[in-house]
Structures are given as C-alpha cells and as structure tokens.
Amino acid sequence: MHEDGYWLERLRQGDKAAFEQLYEKYSKPLHRAVLAITRDHAAAEEILQESFVRLYKHAAKLDLDRPILPWLHRVAINLSYNWLVRDRLRFTSLDQLVERWRIRLTHRVEIEKEVEQNERVSTVRAAIERLSFDQRVVIILFYLQGFSLVEIADILNVPLGTAKSRLHYARKALERTLLSDAKFTGEVIYEPLSS
Amino acid sequence: MNRCRPESTFRDSFDQWIAWSLRSAFTHAEPSPEVWDKLQQRVQTLERTACERRSKRTKPLLSRAPSIGHWLKFVWQMVDEHTVSSEAIWSPISPNARLAHALCYRNASLWLASWPVLNKWMPIY
C-alpha cells in the first residue's frame, strides 16, 4: 500500500484528521500548479477547494496503491480548463466579486514582489502564458512540479508519445518567443546557472 | 563567478531558465487559511446531505404510505371512476367514445365524487 493509501483508508472510515493530513501535504503543490495555470489567486483557491471536495467524495473509489497527487492534479487541471474556457467569462455575483477583491488584496504583497522581480523572469512567464492550454499545462507539470513524462501522461490521460510531443512543441514555442526577445541573446541565457 | 559553464548546452540552460523562472514565481505561493475553513464547511454540508439521504433510504415503507396514497389518488383521478364503472364497461358505446366521454368529465371528477348519485353518468352538456 502506498503511503497515501493509509490516509485514504482512514478517510474512508470518516477520519477527519486524515483529510486534514492530506490537505496539509498536497494543498501547497496543487495550489502552486493551479495558480501557474490560471494566474488568478481567487480561481486557484476555488479550484483547490473543489479538488479536495472531490477527493473527499471519491475517496472510496481511489486506488490505495497509488499516490493521490497525480489524481489531484488531473482533477485540478480539468477544473482549471473549465474555468479558463467557461467560468472566467461567467457573470459573477456581488459576493463573488467582493471575495475576489479580498483575495487580490491579500495577495497584493506577492503581486508587488512579482512586479519587482527580474524582468527576464517576467518575460519567461509571459511567454508561458501565451502558450496553448495543453502546452502550458505540460510545461508547468514538467518544470514547476517536477513530474516525469510518464507521470504527466498518466495525469493527462494521454499516451506517452503525446505528452512528449506536447512538451517538445511547447519548448519550441517558448524558444521562438524568448529568442526573438532582445533580453535572451548571447550570454544572458546562461546567467541563472550561477545563481 | 562562472557566468557560463562551457559544458552546458543551450538546451540545458534553456530548461533551467524555464524551471528557475517558474519556481521563483510560484514556489512561495500558498493558499489562504480561509480555503481550509470553507473546505470544512463544505465537507460538513456533504456529510449532512449524505446522512439525510441514508435516513430516507432506510425509512420504513409504512411511513411512505401518505405518498403512495397520494399517487393512487392521482392515478384514480386520471383514470376517472366513470371509465371503470360497471355501467361504462357494459355500455354499448365503443371504448374510444367512452374514453373521450371520461376525459370530457375528468376535470369535474372531484366534484362528481361527492355527488349523491355516485357511479352514475352525469350528462351535463
């Protein structure tokens, strides 16, 4: 049985502490990935919440021998996709708007830090943002979350070859965008290696 | 400071650039504590709903009698007592005409039920 299986088993028996344990363990990496995909703090928190609600609902169906982080990523990516194509444009109630502004103000310090960050880092992130949803997800799972291509294929429920080609084309697209930028020429590209 | 490693290829450094950029931007991002509070509330709601559903499922049949009675009454009103009365069954008119006649009076069936001459044709035209 996988380590997560132990907590899942306890969650199935109605142990709230097990649910809290899983939340403590996986909320941060999952939130990080969703935030990188959506670039919206409020949406990231909503999606994180919904992903864990689904974990609670489907705990009985999950395989105890497998880690749950890839499953959580799959759920969160599907929810992010829904948010990007549908919910983002949906009319929001006043309460939701107030909530969104509250979260934005909470994260204002982070946003200010982001602005102060290295301009080239911002350019990389802007280039990633311009990628298609599928390519962006692969880039985030591979570079930010550190999943292997086999794990990415499992998360996205696609063949390994598809995951490989998505990563390849995403890299190519990033290269094209970044190399056309004056900041990414010559020695500049090597600078972060020393840090 | 070694700014450029001779053995590193463009691909390696490019990959590291992307990883470094993403991690520097998102590694410290954390969900607010309110998410956990809301999550707990939602889980409680889920549990309550599941509990209610379970209690409904295990409810004895007899306690559902009013709803069964309600449906029987509804079906009886739909069929109309005149359609199944012995006069109607043995009458020389065709079943279609009988049904049409019954449908004609269906809306008045409640009123007719309390009529003293129950189970009789009420030829009100």
Side-chain angles (χ1 to χ4, degrees):
Chain A
M1 187 193 284
H2 190 268
E3 187 197 336
D4 292 344
Y6 168 72
W7 296 110
L8 266 180
E9 188 62 52
R10 282 182 58 180
L11 178 60
R12 286 176 186 179
Q13 290 161 6
D15 186 352
K16 293 276 177 57
F19 188 57
E20 192 173 354
Q21 178 70 26
L22 288 170
Y23 181 81
E24 282 295 316
K25 195 174 173 186
Y26 294 126
S27 61
K28 282 179 194 170
L30 196 65
H31 175 258
R32 190 169 62 207
V34 177
L35 183 62
I37 293 168
T38 59
R39 299 297 308 278
D40 185 301
H41 286 283
E45 292 193 351
E46 278 170 28
I47 290 166
L48 176 72
Q49 198 188 114
E50 185 58 37
S51 304
F52 274 92
V53 166
R54 291 193 185 189
L55 171 68
Y56 186 84
K57 278 184 185 170
H58 300 292
K61 294 175 194 165
L62 294 178
D63 190 349
L64 298 178
D65 296 324
R66 297 180 71 183
I68 59 166
L69 192 60
W71 183 86
L72 278 171
H73 270 86
R74 186 189 290 188
V75 171
I77 287 165
N78 288 340
L79 290 170
S80 304
Y81 180 78
N82 289 346
W83 180 80
L84 282 168
V85 301
R86 193 182 60 204
D87 297 354
R88 193 184 198 175
L89 305 171
R90 195 179 60 186
F91 173 76
T92 48
S93 68
L94 190 62
D95 285 349
Q96 283 173 317
L97 280 177
V98 170
E99 181 64 10
R100 277 176 182 276
W101 277 107
R102 186 193 65 71
I103 293 168
R104 274 185 193 157
L105 287 173
T106 313
H107 293 283
R108 197 177 60 183
V109 181
E110 286 175 30
I111 293 164
E112 281 169 0
K113 274 185 195 166
E114 282 174 24
V115 173
E116 288 168 13
Q117 271 180 348
N118 192 318
E119 200 183 336
R120 273 168 284 169
V121 175
S122 305
T123 313
V124 172
R125 284 170 45 204
I128 291 169
E129 209 175 331
R130 279 201 291 273
L131 294 173
S132 70
F133 180 81
D134 288 341
Q135 290 180 346
R136 198 188 328 161
V137 165
V138 171
I139 287 281
I140 286 163
L141 292 178
F142 190 78
Y143 289 109
L144 179 66
Q145 301 297 81
F147 284 115
S148 68
L149 275 166
V150 175
E151 287 170 321
I152 292 171
D154 181 42
I155 290 169
L156 301 177
N157 200 22
V158 294
L160 180 61
T162 308
K164 273 183 187 171
S165 75
R166 278 186 195 175
L167 185 64
H168 172 76
Y169 287 112
R171 266 194 194 127
K172 286 276 171 203
L174 277 179
E175 269 179 35
R176 266 198 309 275
T177 312
L178 295 175
L179 290 177
S180 65
D181 196 309
K183 300 180 200 83
F184 287 89
T185 50
E187 76 286 352
V188 177
I189 196 84
Y190 292 95
E191 195 177 9
L193 287 172
S194 57
S195 59
Chain B
M1 192 168 79
N2 182 16
R3 284 171 60 87
C4 177
R5 291 180 200 165
E7 72 273 16
S8 63
T9 62
F10 171 79
R11 167 68 65 204
D12 292 339
S13 54
F14 184 77
D15 284 354
Q16 285 187 34
W17 241 111
I18 296 170
W20 183 77
S21 304
L22 279 169
R23 285 174 191 167
S24 69
F26 297 108
T27 300
H28 303 294
E30 280 186 23
S32 61
E34 284 87 1
V35 178
W36 174 241
D37 297 337
K38 283 183 195 165
L39 193 57
Q40 278 181 309
Q41 284 172 10
R42 286 191 66 185
V43 165
Q44 278 170 3
T45 313
L46 277 175
E47 279 181 346
R48 207 167 37 245
T49 314
C51 222
E52 284 169 7
R53 205 176 292 146
R54 265 198 302 274
S55 70
K56 269 184 190 167
R57 211 179 294 146
T58 53
K59 213 173 170 183
L61 187 67
L62 276 177
S63 63
R64 277 186 259 171
S67 64
I68 292 170
H70 170 82
W71 280 106
L72 282 172
K73 190 178 166 189
F74 176 74
V75 169
W76 179 248
Q77 284 174 5
M78 287 300 289
V79 170
D80 192 351
E81 62 188 55
H82 294 278
T83 314
V84 291
S85 68
S86 57
E87 289 94 333
I89 290 165
W90 294 105
S91 72
I93 57 172
S94 68
N96 284 345
R98 194 162 62 239
L99 182 64
H101 190 79
L103 289 173
C104 179
Y105 285 106
R106 190 174 55 186
N107 293 335
S109 61
L110 282 174
W111 178 76
L112 288 173
S114 60
W115 196 254
V117 280
L118 197 66
N119 289 338
K120 293 284 169 70
W121 287 104
M122 299 296 297
I124 306 165
Y125 290 104

